[in-house]
């Protein structure tokens, strides 16, 4: 199987499954930068971050 391969049903285009890009089954819990680097804890600098799969603006 190829990495980042998409599997789609031939009956409906909305039935596409995308592989998880996180290594070793890690979930989306934790704080990440927009480029995908994981942070050790909650960020203290201003910017846009990902937390639990949602974009968070830290003002």
């Amino acid at each position: 199987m190829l990495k980042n391969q998409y599997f789609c049903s031939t009956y409906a285009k909305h039935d596409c499954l995308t592989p998880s890009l996180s290594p070793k089954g890690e979930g989306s819990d934790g704080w990440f930068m927009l480029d995908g680097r994981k942070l050790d804890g909650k960020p203290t600098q201003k910017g846009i971050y990902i937390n639990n799969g949602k974009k968070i603006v830290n003002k």
Side-chain angles (χ1 to χ4, degrees), residues 13-42:
K13 290 186 179 183
H14 67 282
D15 290 340
C16 293
L17 300 175
T18 57
S20 174
L21 298 178
S22 59
K24 297 183 183 177
E26 291 178 6
S28 62
D29 43 328
W31 288 90
F32 296 86
M33 298 186 74
L34 288 179
D35 60 1
R37 291 182 288 162
K38 187 168 183 175
L39 301 174
D40 292 331
K42 188 174 179 178

PDB file of all heavy atoms in Angstrom, residues 13-42:
ATOM      1  N   LYS A  13     -18.932   9.861  -4.031  1.00  0.00           N
ATOM      2  CA  LYS A  13     -17.640  10.515  -3.824  1.00  0.00           C
ATOM      3  C   LYS A  13     -17.445  10.982  -2.390  1.00  0.00           C
ATOM      4  O   LYS A  13     -16.335  11.220  -1.961  1.00  0.00           O
ATOM      5  CB  LYS A  13     -17.493  11.690  -4.782  1.00  0.00           C
ATOM      6  CG  LYS A  13     -17.326  11.247  -6.206  1.00  0.00           C
ATOM      7  CD  LYS A  13     -17.041  12.401  -7.112  1.00  0.00           C
ATOM      8  CE  LYS A  13     -16.859  11.909  -8.527  1.00  0.00           C
ATOM      9  NZ  LYS A  13     -16.503  12.958  -9.442  1.00  0.00           N
ATOM     10  N   HIS A  14     -18.509  11.127  -1.617  1.00  0.00           N
ATOM     11  CA  HIS A  14     -18.371  11.585  -0.240  1.00  0.00           C
ATOM     12  C   HIS A  14     -17.969  10.458   0.701  1.00  0.00           C
ATOM     13  O   HIS A  14     -17.811  10.671   1.894  1.00  0.00           O
ATOM     14  CB  HIS A  14     -19.658  12.261   0.233  1.00  0.00           C
ATOM     15  CG  HIS A  14     -20.819  11.317   0.359  1.00  0.00           C
ATOM     16  ND1 HIS A  14     -21.527  10.888  -0.721  1.00  0.00           N
ATOM     17  CD2 HIS A  14     -21.366  10.724   1.439  1.00  0.00           C
ATOM     18  CE1 HIS A  14     -22.474  10.064  -0.320  1.00  0.00           C
ATOM     19  NE2 HIS A  14     -22.396   9.948   0.987  1.00  0.00           N
ATOM     20  N   ASP A  15     -17.772   9.260   0.188  1.00  0.00           N
ATOM     21  CA  ASP A  15     -17.371   8.121   1.009  1.00  0.00           C
ATOM     22  C   ASP A  15     -15.866   7.877   0.980  1.00  0.00           C
ATOM     23  O   ASP A  15     -15.412   6.758   1.128  1.00  0.00           O
ATOM     24  CB  ASP A  15     -18.087   6.851   0.548  1.00  0.00           C
ATOM     25  CG  ASP A  15     -19.564   6.876   0.877  1.00  0.00           C
ATOM     26  OD1 ASP A  15     -19.940   7.653   1.758  1.00  0.00           O
ATOM     27  OD2 ASP A  15     -20.322   6.118   0.266  1.00  0.00           O
ATOM     28  N   CYS A  16     -15.076   8.926   0.789  1.00  0.00           N
ATOM     29  CA  CYS A  16     -13.624   8.779   0.726  1.00  0.00           C
ATOM     30  C   CYS A  16     -13.042   8.617   2.126  1.00  0.00           C
ATOM     31  O   CYS A  16     -13.455   9.290   3.059  1.00  0.00           O
ATOM     32  CB  CYS A  16     -12.974   9.989   0.054  1.00  0.00           C
ATOM     33  SG  CYS A  16     -13.386  10.120  -1.681  1.00  0.00           S
ATOM     34  N   LEU A  17     -12.073   7.747   2.240  1.00  0.00           N
ATOM     35  CA  LEU A  17     -11.363   7.552   3.494  1.00  0.00           C
ATOM     36  C   LEU A  17      -9.932   8.019   3.295  1.00  0.00           C
ATOM     37  O   LEU A  17      -9.280   7.638   2.339  1.00  0.00           O
ATOM     38  CB  LEU A  17     -11.359   6.076   3.890  1.00  0.00           C
ATOM     39  CG  LEU A  17     -12.720   5.440   4.098  1.00  0.00           C
ATOM     40  CD1 LEU A  17     -12.549   3.954   4.370  1.00  0.00           C
ATOM     41  CD2 LEU A  17     -13.424   6.096   5.267  1.00  0.00           C
ATOM     42  N   THR A  18      -9.451   8.838   4.201  1.00  0.00           N
ATOM     43  CA  THR A  18      -8.073   9.293   4.121  1.00  0.00           C
ATOM     44  C   THR A  18      -7.300   8.680   5.274  1.00  0.00           C
ATOM     45  O   THR A  18      -7.830   8.560   6.381  1.00  0.00           O
ATOM     46  CB  THR A  18      -7.972  10.825   4.202  1.00  0.00           C
ATOM     47  OG1 THR A  18      -8.588  11.254   5.403  1.00  0.00           O
ATOM     48  CG2 THR A  18      -8.666  11.476   3.021  1.00  0.00           C
ATOM     49  N   PRO A  19      -6.071   8.281   5.035  1.00  0.00           N
ATOM     50  CA  PRO A  19      -5.291   7.666   6.110  1.00  0.00           C
ATOM     51  C   PRO A  19      -4.894   8.686   7.162  1.00  0.00           C
ATOM     52  O   PRO A  19      -4.778   9.870   6.883  1.00  0.00           O
ATOM     53  CB  PRO A  19      -4.056   7.142   5.377  1.00  0.00           C
ATOM     54  CG  PRO A  19      -3.947   7.999   4.172  1.00  0.00           C
ATOM     55  CD  PRO A  19      -5.352   8.379   3.792  1.00  0.00           C
ATOM     56  N   SER A  20      -4.675   8.209   8.366  1.00  0.00           N
ATOM     57  CA  SER A  20      -4.210   9.074   9.440  1.00  0.00           C
ATOM     58  C   SER A  20      -2.753   9.421   9.189  1.00  0.00           C
ATOM     59  O   SER A  20      -1.944   8.548   8.895  1.00  0.00           O
ATOM     60  CB  SER A  20      -4.358   8.361  10.781  1.00  0.00           C
ATOM     61  OG  SER A  20      -3.783   9.124  11.789  1.00  0.00           O
ATOM     62  N   LEU A  21      -2.406  10.691   9.293  1.00  0.00           N
ATOM     63  CA  LEU A  21      -1.040  11.114   9.053  1.00  0.00           C
ATOM     64  C   LEU A  21      -0.210  11.125  10.329  1.00  0.00           C
ATOM     65  O   LEU A  21       0.975  11.376  10.282  1.00  0.00           O
ATOM     66  CB  LEU A  21      -1.032  12.499   8.403  1.00  0.00           C
ATOM     67  CG  LEU A  21      -1.718  12.569   7.050  1.00  0.00           C
ATOM     68  CD1 LEU A  21      -1.688  13.997   6.531  1.00  0.00           C
ATOM     69  CD2 LEU A  21      -1.078  11.641   6.053  1.00  0.00           C
ATOM     70  N   SER A  22      -0.832  10.860  11.471  1.00  0.00           N
ATOM     71  CA  SER A  22      -0.075  10.872  12.720  1.00  0.00           C
ATOM     72  C   SER A  22       0.616   9.522  12.906  1.00  0.00           C
ATOM     73  O   SER A  22       0.045   8.482  12.636  1.00  0.00           O
ATOM     74  CB  SER A  22      -0.990  11.173  13.897  1.00  0.00           C
ATOM     75  OG  SER A  22      -2.005  10.220  13.982  1.00  0.00           O
ATOM     76  N   PRO A  23       1.852   9.528  13.356  1.00  0.00           N
ATOM     77  CA  PRO A  23       2.610   8.285  13.492  1.00  0.00           C
ATOM     78  C   PRO A  23       2.156   7.444  14.673  1.00  0.00           C
ATOM     79  O   PRO A  23       1.704   7.953  15.684  1.00  0.00           O
ATOM     80  CB  PRO A  23       4.039   8.775  13.701  1.00  0.00           C
ATOM     81  CG  PRO A  23       3.891  10.128  14.288  1.00  0.00           C
ATOM     82  CD  PRO A  23       2.624  10.696  13.697  1.00  0.00           C
ATOM     83  N   LYS A  24       2.274   6.141  14.549  1.00  0.00           N
ATOM     84  CA  LYS A  24       2.028   5.158  15.615  1.00  0.00           C
ATOM     85  C   LYS A  24       0.663   5.293  16.260  1.00  0.00           C
ATOM     86  O   LYS A  24       0.512   5.114  17.460  1.00  0.00           O
ATOM     87  CB  LYS A  24       3.123   5.256  16.677  1.00  0.00           C
ATOM     88  CG  LYS A  24       4.491   4.923  16.149  1.00  0.00           C
ATOM     89  CD  LYS A  24       5.512   4.972  17.243  1.00  0.00           C
ATOM     90  CE  LYS A  24       6.885   4.705  16.677  1.00  0.00           C
ATOM     91  NZ  LYS A  24       7.915   4.801  17.694  1.00  0.00           N
ATOM     92  N   GLY A  25      -0.339   5.683  15.489  1.00  0.00           N
ATOM     93  CA  GLY A  25      -1.689   5.729  16.002  1.00  0.00           C
ATOM     94  C   GLY A  25      -1.969   6.838  16.988  1.00  0.00           C
ATOM     95  O   GLY A  25      -2.962   6.815  17.687  1.00  0.00           O
ATOM     96  N   GLU A  26      -1.087   7.828  17.093  1.00  0.00           N
ATOM     97  CA  GLU A  26      -1.340   8.934  18.007  1.00  0.00           C
ATOM     98  C   GLU A  26      -2.559   9.703  17.521  1.00  0.00           C
ATOM     99  O   GLU A  26      -2.729   9.918  16.339  1.00  0.00           O
ATOM    100  CB  GLU A  26      -0.141   9.880  18.063  1.00  0.00           C
ATOM    101  CG  GLU A  26       1.075   9.283  18.720  1.00  0.00           C
ATOM    102  CD  GLU A  26       2.243  10.252  18.711  1.00  0.00           C
ATOM    103  OE1 GLU A  26       2.059  11.413  18.301  1.00  0.00           O
ATOM    104  OE2 GLU A  26       3.328   9.836  19.112  1.00  0.00           O
ATOM    105  N   GLY A  27      -3.386  10.125  18.428  1.00  0.00           N
ATOM    106  CA  GLY A  27      -4.553  10.908  18.071  1.00  0.00           C
ATOM    107  C   GLY A  27      -4.192  12.358  17.832  1.00  0.00           C
ATOM    108  O   GLY A  27      -3.027  12.728  17.770  1.00  0.00           O
ATOM    109  N   SER A  28      -5.193  13.167  17.713  1.00  0.00           N
ATOM    110  CA  SER A  28      -4.946  14.587  17.467  1.00  0.00           C
ATOM    111  C   SER A  28      -4.890  15.377  18.774  1.00  0.00           C
ATOM    112  O   SER A  28      -4.907  16.590  18.750  1.00  0.00           O
ATOM    113  CB  SER A  28      -6.044  15.149  16.566  1.00  0.00           C
ATOM    114  OG  SER A  28      -7.292  15.030  17.201  1.00  0.00           O
ATOM    115  N   ASP A  29      -4.855  14.677  19.920  1.00  0.00           N
ATOM    116  CA  ASP A  29      -4.775  15.389  21.188  1.00  0.00           C
ATOM    117  C   ASP A  29      -3.381  15.957  21.372  1.00  0.00           C
ATOM    118  O   ASP A  29      -2.396  15.371  20.980  1.00  0.00           O
ATOM    119  CB  ASP A  29      -5.160  14.489  22.367  1.00  0.00           C
ATOM    120  CG  ASP A  29      -4.571  13.110  22.269  1.00  0.00           C
ATOM    121  OD1 ASP A  29      -4.412  12.636  21.146  1.00  0.00           O
ATOM    122  OD2 ASP A  29      -4.274  12.504  23.305  1.00  0.00           O
ATOM    123  N   GLY A  30      -3.318  17.136  21.930  1.00  0.00           N
ATOM    124  CA  GLY A  30      -2.056  17.841  22.082  1.00  0.00           C
ATOM    125  C   GLY A  30      -2.061  19.105  21.246  1.00  0.00           C
ATOM    126  O   GLY A  30      -3.034  19.414  20.556  1.00  0.00           O
ATOM    127  N   TRP A  31      -0.986  19.835  21.326  1.00  0.00           N
ATOM    128  CA  TRP A  31      -0.850  21.096  20.593  1.00  0.00           C
ATOM    129  C   TRP A  31       0.143  20.912  19.456  1.00  0.00           C
ATOM    130  O   TRP A  31       1.204  20.316  19.638  1.00  0.00           O
ATOM    131  CB  TRP A  31      -0.362  22.192  21.534  1.00  0.00           C
ATOM    132  CG  TRP A  31      -1.410  22.623  22.510  1.00  0.00           C
ATOM    133  CD1 TRP A  31      -1.647  22.104  23.742  1.00  0.00           C
ATOM    134  CD2 TRP A  31      -2.371  23.658  22.329  1.00  0.00           C
ATOM    135  NE1 TRP A  31      -2.697  22.759  24.345  1.00  0.00           N
ATOM    136  CE2 TRP A  31      -3.154  23.722  23.500  1.00  0.00           C
ATOM    137  CE3 TRP A  31      -2.638  24.550  21.293  1.00  0.00           C
ATOM    138  CZ2 TRP A  31      -4.189  24.628  23.659  1.00  0.00           C
ATOM    139  CZ3 TRP A  31      -3.665  25.453  21.452  1.00  0.00           C
ATOM    140  CH2 TRP A  31      -4.428  25.489  22.617  1.00  0.00           C
ATOM    141  N   PHE A  32      -0.217  21.426  18.275  1.00  0.00           N
ATOM    142  CA  PHE A  32       0.615  21.325  17.094  1.00  0.00           C
ATOM    143  C   PHE A  32       0.736  22.683  16.429  1.00  0.00           C
ATOM    144  O   PHE A  32      -0.173  23.503  16.507  1.00  0.00           O
ATOM    145  CB  PHE A  32       0.011  20.348  16.080  1.00  0.00           C
ATOM    146  CG  PHE A  32      -0.058  18.935  16.575  1.00  0.00           C
ATOM    147  CD1 PHE A  32      -1.133  18.497  17.321  1.00  0.00           C
ATOM    148  CD2 PHE A  32       0.953  18.050  16.284  1.00  0.00           C
ATOM    149  CE1 PHE A  32      -1.201  17.196  17.770  1.00  0.00           C
ATOM    150  CE2 PHE A  32       0.894  16.740  16.726  1.00  0.00           C
ATOM    151  CZ  PHE A  32      -0.183  16.310  17.475  1.00  0.00           C
ATOM    152  N   MET A  33       1.863  22.901  15.737  1.00  0.00           N
ATOM    153  CA  MET A  33       2.014  24.088  14.901  1.00  0.00           C
ATOM    154  C   MET A  33       1.349  23.780  13.562  1.00  0.00           C
ATOM    155  O   MET A  33       1.027  22.626  13.270  1.00  0.00           O
ATOM    156  CB  MET A  33       3.489  24.416  14.723  1.00  0.00           C
ATOM    157  CG  MET A  33       4.164  24.745  16.054  1.00  0.00           C
ATOM    158  SD  MET A  33       5.853  25.287  15.864  1.00  0.00           S
ATOM    159  CE  MET A  33       5.594  26.921  15.232  1.00  0.00           C
ATOM    160  N   LEU A  34       1.138  24.793  12.732  1.00  0.00           N
ATOM    161  CA  LEU A  34       0.459  24.586  11.454  1.00  0.00           C
ATOM    162  C   LEU A  34       1.246  23.683  10.509  1.00  0.00           C
ATOM    163  O   LEU A  34       0.670  23.055   9.635  1.00  0.00           O
ATOM    164  CB  LEU A  34       0.178  25.930  10.770  1.00  0.00           C
ATOM    165  CG  LEU A  34      -0.928  26.754  11.421  1.00  0.00           C
ATOM    166  CD1 LEU A  34      -1.098  28.066  10.677  1.00  0.00           C
ATOM    167  CD2 LEU A  34      -2.233  25.999  11.447  1.00  0.00           C
ATOM    168  N   ASP A  35       2.554  23.600  10.689  1.00  0.00           N
ATOM    169  CA  ASP A  35       3.354  22.734   9.825  1.00  0.00           C
ATOM    170  C   ASP A  35       3.416  21.293  10.333  1.00  0.00           C
ATOM    171  O   ASP A  35       4.078  20.453   9.744  1.00  0.00           O
ATOM    172  CB  ASP A  35       4.759  23.296   9.639  1.00  0.00           C
ATOM    173  CG  ASP A  35       5.522  23.432  10.944  1.00  0.00           C
ATOM    174  OD1 ASP A  35       4.979  23.075  11.997  1.00  0.00           O
ATOM    175  OD2 ASP A  35       6.669  23.893  10.890  1.00  0.00           O
ATOM    176  N   GLY A  36       2.699  20.987  11.424  1.00  0.00           N
ATOM    177  CA  GLY A  36       2.594  19.624  11.908  1.00  0.00           C
ATOM    178  C   GLY A  36       3.519  19.252  13.048  1.00  0.00           C
ATOM    179  O   GLY A  36       3.448  18.139  13.556  1.00  0.00           O
ATOM    180  N   ARG A  37       4.389  20.162  13.465  1.00  0.00           N
ATOM    181  CA  ARG A  37       5.290  19.858  14.579  1.00  0.00           C
ATOM    182  C   ARG A  37       4.520  19.879  15.891  1.00  0.00           C
ATOM    183  O   ARG A  37       3.770  20.798  16.164  1.00  0.00           O
ATOM    184  CB  ARG A  37       6.438  20.858  14.632  1.00  0.00           C
ATOM    185  CG  ARG A  37       7.400  20.709  13.471  1.00  0.00           C
ATOM    186  CD  ARG A  37       8.532  21.675  13.592  1.00  0.00           C
ATOM    187  NE  ARG A  37       8.003  23.026  13.308  1.00  0.00           N
ATOM    188  CZ  ARG A  37       8.621  24.137  13.641  1.00  0.00           C
ATOM    189  NH1 ARG A  37       9.768  24.115  14.268  1.00  0.00           N
ATOM    190  NH2 ARG A  37       8.092  25.305  13.340  1.00  0.00           N
ATOM    191  N   LYS A  38       4.729  18.840  16.716  1.00  0.00           N
ATOM    192  CA  LYS A  38       4.032  18.745  17.995  1.00  0.00           C
ATOM    193  C   LYS A  38       4.755  19.579  19.040  1.00  0.00           C
ATOM    194  O   LYS A  38       5.977  19.583  19.119  1.00  0.00           O
ATOM    195  CB  LYS A  38       3.956  17.291  18.456  1.00  0.00           C
ATOM    196  CG  LYS A  38       3.094  17.122  19.681  1.00  0.00           C
ATOM    197  CD  LYS A  38       2.789  15.689  19.979  1.00  0.00           C
ATOM    198  CE  LYS A  38       1.857  15.634  21.171  1.00  0.00           C
ATOM    199  NZ  LYS A  38       1.406  14.300  21.456  1.00  0.00           N
ATOM    200  N   LEU A  39       3.973  20.283  19.877  1.00  0.00           N
ATOM    201  CA  LEU A  39       4.515  21.101  20.962  1.00  0.00           C
ATOM    202  C   LEU A  39       4.452  20.308  22.266  1.00  0.00           C
ATOM    203  O   LEU A  39       3.625  19.411  22.424  1.00  0.00           O
ATOM    204  CB  LEU A  39       3.726  22.398  21.089  1.00  0.00           C
ATOM    205  CG  LEU A  39       3.699  23.283  19.850  1.00  0.00           C
ATOM    206  CD1 LEU A  39       2.753  24.456  20.065  1.00  0.00           C
ATOM    207  CD2 LEU A  39       5.089  23.782  19.523  1.00  0.00           C
ATOM    208  N   ASP A  40       5.300  20.663  23.206  1.00  0.00           N
ATOM    209  CA  ASP A  40       5.326  19.973  24.497  1.00  0.00           C
ATOM    210  C   ASP A  40       4.140  20.331  25.385  1.00  0.00           C
ATOM    211  O   ASP A  40       3.748  19.559  26.240  1.00  0.00           O
ATOM    212  CB  ASP A  40       6.622  20.302  25.239  1.00  0.00           C
ATOM    213  CG  ASP A  40       7.830  19.693  24.552  1.00  0.00           C
ATOM    214  OD1 ASP A  40       7.677  18.640  23.905  1.00  0.00           O
ATOM    215  OD2 ASP A  40       8.914  20.278  24.654  1.00  0.00           O
ATOM    216  N   GLY A  41       3.584  21.504  25.194  1.00  0.00           N
ATOM    217  CA  GLY A  41       2.460  21.950  26.015  1.00  0.00           C
ATOM    218  C   GLY A  41       1.722  23.072  25.310  1.00  0.00           C
ATOM    219  O   GLY A  41       1.920  23.314  24.126  1.00  0.00           O
ATOM    220  N   LYS A  42       0.869  23.754  26.054  1.00  0.00           N
ATOM    221  CA  LYS A  42       0.114  24.866  25.492  1.00  0.00           C
ATOM    222  C   LYS A  42       1.075  25.986  25.097  1.00  0.00           C
ATOM    223  O   LYS A  42       1.945  26.369  25.871  1.00  0.00           O
ATOM    224  CB  LYS A  42      -0.900  25.383  26.515  1.00  0.00           C
ATOM    225  CG  LYS A  42      -1.841  26.411  25.957  1.00  0.00           C
ATOM    226  CD  LYS A  42      -2.918  26.783  26.955  1.00  0.00           C
ATOM    227  CE  LYS A  42      -3.824  27.836  26.351  1.00  0.00           C
ATOM    228  NZ  LYS A  42      -4.904  28.214  27.247  1.00  0.00           N
TER     229      LYS A  42
END
